[in-house]
């Protein structure tokens, strides 16, 4: 149940921007007319599927496909030798084969691909493929992977099973701790979970042969993906095709949340099967396969040590994260950085040290899920700050507000912050939740005889509005938009962005409509076709509204300039007095002097020829520090959120009920308040699920609950009341001042619930999800009953972190001072140097 509180929004000068209206693609989606990848059916189409490993770790000794090939209706079979080139989303993690060649590394690792005439034959053929395995020891946890470095999971790891280890120190951390009146350290654990989109991963590949082409033909792939540009790139590489001979088209996508951001084996295999058979091939993953494809939230162990003054002023922080990455790299290197580098954009830290380590395990590879890499540390940090506040006898809200980052400043690690309305977000949720009254008077606390105990918790968070660097670093735009006007008054927008349900297609229509002074109904949007549309890097990192929106404004203004030029001549008024609204160009001084939009287009085409314009966007320079590793974390702007949570805990059963969430989000300018509120509420729903029930459970490397019947997700009946509050304070970098709304609002929800549980029953649950058994165990421990003590054990790990010392000052070039030991810094080095390195 939700409550949208949009009445507090400020007036603005726009006619389309800031108004609530339906999505431009709403009708086909709600009526079932929209086509998704699995809906596509082509003549002579074959059905494909992947045979997956039943073992978490094993050498492949032999694969026999003869019996399957002899089965009538089987057209082609691929094994690892047919696709010998590695791929991966990051250039530094090219560690996957479309089909495993020598070894499988998790239950579900694909070893063969089959194309057949029908699904029934396909299923039978998979059973006839014989694979001989030599089973190897399986390492399922962070501690096991670090304790057994000789059991090598992924050869890309240079040291044992450590995929990536990074270490940075900014400011004088030792001096910061020495200055503190009080220090606290805590361990936390955030359990991994998955995206669970409604639509499973699916694709259709079609090889179009052309004997006159030296390459032999061209490939078209329809796929449910968030990153068509990167899928296009990896297909070209693995299949040995020029990029000009590969076309990736994204139909409607039934949810992604980050889980469709990688290139996947089924896409590559469908394409190669189509090329070999000369027929279209469709591969639709089962729900169990989606759990095995995964790329979801990393399980992370975290340690935090923080120093504070008696008045709550933060003096220093040391943060460590250990990530369970699964069998392959995915986005894991970026995720490792993200767990640490963004702590500084929420609260002022005069000194900060971050050490992060991602390890390979024999589980499905983890990657980005909504709030990529920031959700786990935000949970840990906000609970840690709550503990500090109670230790110091300071109100948790007061401690946060005392240390808030200020707008238009630089963080200790060189990140540029523009607008920041986090103080207003905190004020809004505390006012709506009656924070002070409830905490002082506890009016909702039941009698002692009742088993229910109620509590109120609070947390804050931040997130990026698109990454400051592309995955493959270059100087090209991150997003491009082309707009074409036709003489009938129609407007077509071409953009490579993918709408995964967040409404980015609609946002483009609203932005262009506002700029040209027309209604969105005149606009047609073509997206995510690598042949027809210009490059957009994809739907991840909350970048599309911000980056594609700015590109759309750039293109629209070029066309508007041409329209205004001919309109000024026809109306005999100065160009600077012209405005556009309601499908009309008119004189601001005399609105009666006007020209219909369609006539203006015809006049402009007469003078200028075909009316086509392109706009691009790349983040500004100088938004991060100059040191190795500074490319992960910078963003053109940061959004901010605050959440207050009210919970009820049954002390007899341990049952936790989240009764209401108040969620305020600093959105900059809401392009469409209705869609923004929907995104905020979607984040609240997902955060609630992760806080109280969602978890990926593995037993001996096998996913125990790879089904939506067993994997616990909140239903509409479970979901608490959500009061959404939009805080609008336009950001100078965003399109019409807009910032992201898709991922940031999730992050404060989990710690707000955890803090509310403590307020209710006086015990801390330092791991997710917060389940009844953990609550009962904590309550028994509190009451002195004998129970098995539940503590998050410290990670025993080698220390490959420090590799060099770097001196850094904002806006200055990095300078290497001297080498450092692999296992530590020289004791005489001043901590005023920024220490950093990676493995």
């Amino acid at each position: 149940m939700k409550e949208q509180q949009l009445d507090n929004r400020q007036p603005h000068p726009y006619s389309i921007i800031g108004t609530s209206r339906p999505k431009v693609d709403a009708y086909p989606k709600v009526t079932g007319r929209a086509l998704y990848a699995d809906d596509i059916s082509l003549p002579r189409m074959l059905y494909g599927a992947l045979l997956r490993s039943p073992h978490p770790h094993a050498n492949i000794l032999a694969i026999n496909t003869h019996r399957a090939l002899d089965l009538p209706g089987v057209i082609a079979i691929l094994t690892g030798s047919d696709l010998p080139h590695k791929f991966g989303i990051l250039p530094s993690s090219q560690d996957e084969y479309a089909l495993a060649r020598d070894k499988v590394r998790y239950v579900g690792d694909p070893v063969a691909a089959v194309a057949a005439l029908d699904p029934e034959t396909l299923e039978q053929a998979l059973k006839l493929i014989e694979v001989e395995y030599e089973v190897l020891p399986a390492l399922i946890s962070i501690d096991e992977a670090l304790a057994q470095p000789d059991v090598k999971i992924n050869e890309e790891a240079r040291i044992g099973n450590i995929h990536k280890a990074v270490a940075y120190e900014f400011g004088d951390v030792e001096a910061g701790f020495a200055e503190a009146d009080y220090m606290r350290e805590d361990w936390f654990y955030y359990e991994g979970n998955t995206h669970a989109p409604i639509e499973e991963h699916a694709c259709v590949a079609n090889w179009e042969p052309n004997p006159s082409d030296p390459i032999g033909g061209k490939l078209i792939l329809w796929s449910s993906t968030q990153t068509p540009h990167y899928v296009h790139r990896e297909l070209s590489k693995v299949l040995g095709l020029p990029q000009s001979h590969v076309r990736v088209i994204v139909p409607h996508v039934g949810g992604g949340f980050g889980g469709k951001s990688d290139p996947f084996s089924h896409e590559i295999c469908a394409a190669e099967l189509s090329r070999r058979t000369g027929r279209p091939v469709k591969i639709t993953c089962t729900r169990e396969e989606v759990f095995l494809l995964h790329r979801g939230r990393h399980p992370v162990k975290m340690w935090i040590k923080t120093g504070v003054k008696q008045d709550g002023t933060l003096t220093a922080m040391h943060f460590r994260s250990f990530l369970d990455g699964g069998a392959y790299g995915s986005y894991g290197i970026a995720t490792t950085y993200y767990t640490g580098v963004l702590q500084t954009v929420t609260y002022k830290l005069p000194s900060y040290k971050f050490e992060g380590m991602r390890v390979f395990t024999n589980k499905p590879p983890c990657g980005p899920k909504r709030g990529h890499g920031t959700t786990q540390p935000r949970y840990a940090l906000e609970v840690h700050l709550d503990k500090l506040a109670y230790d110091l006898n300071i109100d948790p809200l007061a401690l946060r507000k005392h240390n808030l980052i200020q707008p238009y400043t630089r963080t200790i690690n060189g990140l540029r912050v523009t607008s920041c309305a986090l103080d207003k977000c905190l004020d809004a949720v505390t006012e709506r939740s009656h924070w002070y009254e409830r905490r002082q008077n506890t009016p909702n606390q039941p009698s002692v005889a009742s088993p229910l105990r109620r509590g109120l918790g609070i947390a804050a968070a931040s997130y990026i509005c698109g990454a400051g660097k592309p995955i493959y670093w270059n100087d090209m735009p991150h997003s491009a938009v082309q707009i074409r006007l036709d003489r009938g008054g129609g407007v077509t927008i071409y953009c490579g962005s993918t709408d995964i349900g967040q409404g980015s297609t609609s946002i483009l229509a609203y932005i262009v409509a506002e700029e040209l002074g027309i209604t969105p109904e005149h606009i047609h949007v073509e997206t995510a076709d690598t042949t027809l549309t210009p490059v957009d890097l994809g739907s991840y990192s909350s970048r599309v509204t911000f980056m594609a929106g700015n590109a759309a404004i750039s293109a629209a203004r070029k066309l508007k300039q041409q329209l205004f030029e001919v309109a000024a001549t026809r109306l005999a008024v100065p160009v600077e007095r012209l405005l556009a609204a309601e499908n009309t160009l008119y004189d601001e001084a005399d609105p009666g002097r006007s020209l219909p939009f369609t006539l203006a287009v015809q006049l402009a085409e007469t003078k200028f020829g075909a009316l086509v314009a392109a706009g691009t966007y790349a983040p500004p320079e100088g938004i991060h520090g100059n040191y190795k590793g500074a490319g992960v974390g910078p963003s053109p702007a940061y959004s901010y959120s605050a959440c207050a949570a009210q919970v009820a805990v049954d002390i007899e059963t341990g049952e936790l009920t989240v009764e209401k969430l108040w969620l305020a989000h600093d959105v900059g300018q809401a392009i469409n308040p209705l869609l923004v509120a929907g995104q905020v509420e979607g984040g609240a729903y997902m955060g609630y699920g992760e806080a109280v029930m969602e978890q990926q459970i593995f037993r001996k490397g096998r996913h125990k609950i790879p089904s939506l019947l067993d994997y616990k997700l909140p239903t509409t009946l479970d979901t608490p009341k959500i009061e959404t509050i939009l805080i609008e304070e336009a950001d100078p970098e965003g399109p019409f001042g807009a910032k992201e709304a898709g991922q940031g609002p999730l992050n404060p929800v989990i710690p707000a619930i955890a803090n509310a549980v403590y307020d209710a029953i006086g015990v801390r649950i330092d791991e997710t999800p917060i389940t009844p058994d953990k609550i009962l165990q904590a309550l028994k421990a509190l009451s002195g009953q004998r129970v098995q003590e539940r503590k998050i054990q410290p990670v025993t790990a080698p220390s490959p972190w420090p590799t060099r010392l770097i001196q850094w000052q904002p806006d200055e070039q990095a300078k290497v001072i001297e080498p450092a030991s692999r296992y530590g810094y020289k004791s005489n080095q001043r901590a005023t140097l920024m220490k950093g390195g990676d493995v």
Side-chain angles (χ1 to χ4, degrees):
M1 182 176 179
K2 61 186 181 182
E3 300 176 14
Q4 294 179 6
Q5 299 293 329
L6 308 180
D7 54 303
N8 63 321
R9 300 175 56 247
Q10 300 299 313
H12 52 76
Y14 309 120
S15 57
I16 303 295
I17 301 301
T19 62
S20 294
R21 52 185 65 237
K23 293 181 180 179
V24 298
D25 56 357
Y27 184 78
K29 287 183 175 178
V30 300
T31 59
R33 295 169 180 263
L35 287 178
Y36 296 82
D38 190 44
D39 294 325
I40 296 170
S41 183
L42 302 177
R44 303 176 63 248
M45 187 175 75
L46 302 175
Y47 294 86
L50 304 184
L51 177 68
R52 298 181 179 276
S53 166
H55 304 293
H57 200 193
N59 288 324
I60 300 173
L61 302 181
I63 302 178
N64 188 335
T65 62
H66 291 96
R67 292 177 62 205
L69 280 169
D70 291 340
L71 184 68
V74 174
I75 307 302
I77 297 179
L78 302 174
T79 60
S81 60
D82 296 307
L83 294 163
H85 300 293
K86 289 183 177 182
F87 72 97
I89 185 64
L90 299 182
S92 51
S93 292
Q94 302 284 299
D95 63 347
E96 295 186 62
Y97 290 104
L99 298 169
R101 291 169 57 82
D102 303 314
K103 186 165 76 168
V104 293
R105 296 170 174 86
Y106 69 97
V107 172
D109 217 352
V111 296
V114 183
L117 293 175
D118 55 73
E120 293 75 22
T121 303
L122 186 64
E123 183 178 355
Q124 189 177 355
L126 291 173
K127 296 177 181 178
L128 294 175
I129 298 175
E130 300 170 356
V131 185
E132 184 181 351
Y133 293 103
E134 177 192 14
V135 177
L136 301 172
L139 308 179
I140 307 303
S141 70
I142 295 170
D143 299 278
E144 288 178 352
L146 290 173
Q148 301 183 60
D150 295 335
V151 180
K152 197 82 166 178
I153 296 172
N154 190 317
E155 288 67 31
E156 293 297 315
R158 286 181 279 170
I159 301 174
N161 291 304
I162 299 173
H163 177 209
K164 186 71 175 178
V166 299
Y168 293 96
E169 183 172 341
F170 304 91
D172 194 333
V173 172
E174 292 181 6
F177 283 129
E179 183 187 351
D181 296 321
Y182 180 76
M183 289 184 289
R184 183 185 178 98
E185 56 184 86
D186 290 294
W187 279 94
F188 297 93
Y189 180 67
Y190 199 102
E191 183 59 89
N193 48 66
T194 197
H195 316 81
I198 294 176
E199 179 202 25
E200 297 101 326
H201 296 62
C203 68
V204 176
N206 186 32
W207 176 258
E208 296 183 339
N210 182 359
S212 63
D213 186 337
I215 304 301
K218 293 184 178 180
L219 173 71
I220 303 176
L221 178 77
W222 292 265
S223 182
S224 179
T225 177
Q226 297 175 227
T227 54
H229 171 68
Y230 292 117
V231 171
H232 177 264
R233 185 186 186 104
E234 296 305 292
L235 280 174
S236 168
K237 184 184 72 174
V238 176
L239 300 180
L241 294 171
Q243 292 189 24
S244 60
H245 285 57
V246 178
R247 180 181 184 184
V248 177
I249 303 172
V250 182
H252 289 282
V253 177
F257 313 112
K260 297 174 181 176
S261 298
D262 285 71
F264 286 98
S265 292
H266 64 275
E267 296 166 320
I268 297 169
C269 290
E272 180 61 17
L273 286 168
S274 180
R275 180 164 66 169
R276 296 199 176 201
T277 62
R279 300 173 66 164
V281 176
K282 176 192 288 188
I283 296 182
T284 301
C285 298
T286 64
R287 179 58 63 178
E288 180 173 353
E289 286 182 295
V290 174
F291 275 93
L292 300 179
L293 294 171
H294 186 44
R295 314 299 163 107
R297 188 88 72 206
H298 285 72
V300 182
K301 278 188 176 182
M302 294 158 285
W303 173 83
I304 312 177
K305 178 182 178 181
T306 302
V308 291
K309 288 286 193 179
Q310 194 63 43
D311 64 356
T313 302
L314 302 176
T315 64
M317 181 180 291
H318 186 179
F319 184 93
R320 283 179 175 165
S321 59
F322 298 85
L323 292 77
D324 182 342
Y328 295 106
S330 183
Y331 284 83
I333 291 177
T335 315
T336 305
Y337 281 101
Y338 272 131
T339 59
V341 297
L342 292 180
Q343 312 291 31
T344 60
V345 300
T346 311
Y347 303 108
K348 290 179 292 187
L349 286 172
S351 57
Y352 177 58
K353 184 176 183 178
F354 163 56
E355 296 168 311
M357 180 182 291
R358 185 182 192 260
V359 300
F360 289 118
T361 60
N362 291 119
K363 292 190 291 191
C366 295
K369 186 187 176 187
R370 197 174 195 168
H372 179 199
T374 66
T375 303
Q376 304 96 320
R378 181 53 50 186
Y379 155 76
L381 178 59
E382 291 295 318
V383 175
H384 177 69
L385 290 178
D386 236 55
K387 293 182 180 185
L388 277 170
Y390 279 94
D391 290 350
L392 296 171
N393 197 28
I394 297 175
D395 180 78
L397 171 63
L399 183 137
R400 287 172 170 84
K401 295 194 69 173
H402 180 65
N403 289 285
L404 290 182
I405 194 75
Q406 295 302 303
Y408 304 102
T409 56
R410 286 243 178 208
T411 66
I412 187 66
N413 55 336
L415 300 177
R416 186 201 69 172
V417 175
T418 55
S419 64
C420 172
L422 183 52
D423 56 341
K424 296 180 180 178
C425 292
L426 286 166
D427 289 342
V429 297
T430 53
E431 177 186 352
R432 299 296 179 90
S433 65
H434 302 289
W435 170 265
Y436 291 110
E437 298 91 327
R438 293 192 186 198
R439 291 179 64 84
Q440 291 174 3
N441 304 319
T442 59
N444 294 319
Q445 197 72 16
S447 65
V448 176
S450 171
L452 286 183
R453 299 291 183 268
R454 284 186 168 82
L456 193 64
I458 198 167
S462 56
Y463 199 65
I464 60 176
C465 296
K469 295 290 185 181
I471 289 173
Y472 288 81
W473 283 24
N474 56 66
D475 295 325
M476 290 184 282
H478 291 210
S479 187
V481 169
Q482 294 172 340
I483 303 175
R484 179 178 63 85
L485 309 185
D486 68 59
R487 61 187 63 176
V491 178
T492 304
I493 303 170
Y494 299 90
C495 182
S497 63
T498 304
D499 194 322
I500 57 174
Q502 83 278 37
S504 61
T505 296
S506 299
I507 294 299
L508 290 173
Y510 306 147
I511 286 174
V512 173
E514 182 69 50
E515 277 295 325
L516 297 182
I518 59 177
T519 55
E521 291 73 25
H522 288 263
I523 295 176
H524 177 74
V525 186
E526 285 284 348
T527 62
D529 182 328
T530 59
T531 294
L532 293 182
T533 61
V535 168
D536 178 89
L537 297 183
S539 290
Y540 61 90
S541 299
S542 284
R543 55 174 302 284
V544 179
T545 291
F546 200 98
M547 297 190 176
N550 274 322
I553 289 174
S554 175
R557 286 179 178 171
K558 293 175 184 178
L559 292 169
K560 185 166 69 172
Q561 184 177 359
Q562 293 179 316
L563 297 178
F564 276 16
E565 185 175 330
V566 297
T569 301
R570 174 60 68 95
L571 298 174
V573 300
V575 170
E576 56 271 16
R577 277 182 20 201
L578 287 177
L579 296 176
E582 299 180 357
N583 306 313
T584 302
L585 282 66
Y586 64 92
D587 180 6
E588 182 180 19
D590 182 7
R593 304 184 71 173
S594 61
L595 198 66
F597 176 78
T598 301
L599 179 55
V601 170
Q602 293 168 357
L603 294 172
E605 186 176 347
T606 301
K607 180 172 182 178
F608 300 109
L611 299 178
V612 181
T616 62
Y617 178 81
E621 294 294 327
I623 61 175
H624 57 79
N626 295 311
Y627 53 88
K628 185 178 180 181
V632 180
S635 179
Y638 298 91
S639 70
Y640 293 89
S641 305
C643 179
Q646 177 182 304
V647 306
V649 182
D650 189 316
I651 60 174
E652 293 181 353
T653 66
E655 182 179 1
L656 166 62
T657 301
V658 181
E659 296 179 324
K660 188 167 183 177
L661 299 171
W662 293 266
L663 192 49
H665 184 57
D666 167 20
V667 70
Q669 163 68 57
I671 302 292
N672 180 335
L674 189 64
L675 297 191
V676 174
Q679 287 294 295
V680 173
E681 288 148 10
Y685 161 84
M686 189 169 282
Y688 161 73
E690 293 188 24
V692 304
M693 63 182 72
E694 290 191 51
Q695 56 185 326
Q696 295 249 98
I697 300 174
F698 292 85
R699 292 291 181 267
K700 297 182 179 180
R702 182 174 294 276
H703 201 304
K704 192 177 179 182
I705 48 174
S707 161
L708 292 184
L709 293 174
D710 302 308
Y711 181 85
K712 291 185 178 181
L713 286 168
T715 68
T716 54
L717 298 178
D718 299 314
T719 305
K721 295 179 180 179
I722 303 169
E723 186 171 326
T724 304
I725 309 159
L726 302 186
I727 304 299
E728 292 185 301
E729 193 170 285
D731 189 275
E733 298 282 352
F736 295 103
K739 297 197 287 190
E740 73 87 31
Q743 301 190 62
L746 178 149
N747 283 347
V749 174
I750 303 100
I753 292 172
N755 291 334
V757 169
Y758 176 77
D759 186 52
I761 58 176
V763 296
R764 295 281 183 183
I765 312 297
D766 289 339
E767 60 179 287
T768 65
I770 304 171
T771 52
D773 61 311
K774 295 174 186 175
I775 290 174
L776 286 178
Q777 192 172 34
L779 286 170
K780 289 177 181 178
L782 184 68
S783 66
Q785 297 183 37
R786 292 188 62 187
V787 294
Q788 183 178 358
E789 191 174 11
R790 187 185 190 96
K791 285 187 177 180
I792 300 164
Q793 297 300 320
V795 175
T796 302
S799 301
W801 280 313
T803 58
R804 60 180 185 161
L805 300 178
I806 305 172
Q807 185 178 25
W808 173 78
Q809 295 294 333
D811 302 321
E812 292 185 3
Q813 293 296 316
K815 179 183 177 183
V816 176
I817 302 299
E818 62 175 278
S821 161
R822 172 172 294 280
Y823 297 104
Y825 299 110
K826 294 182 178 180
S827 60
N828 62 353
Q829 287 297 313
R830 294 293 299 162
T832 52
L833 302 180
M834 192 288 290
K835 304 171 183 176
D838 54 56
V839 174

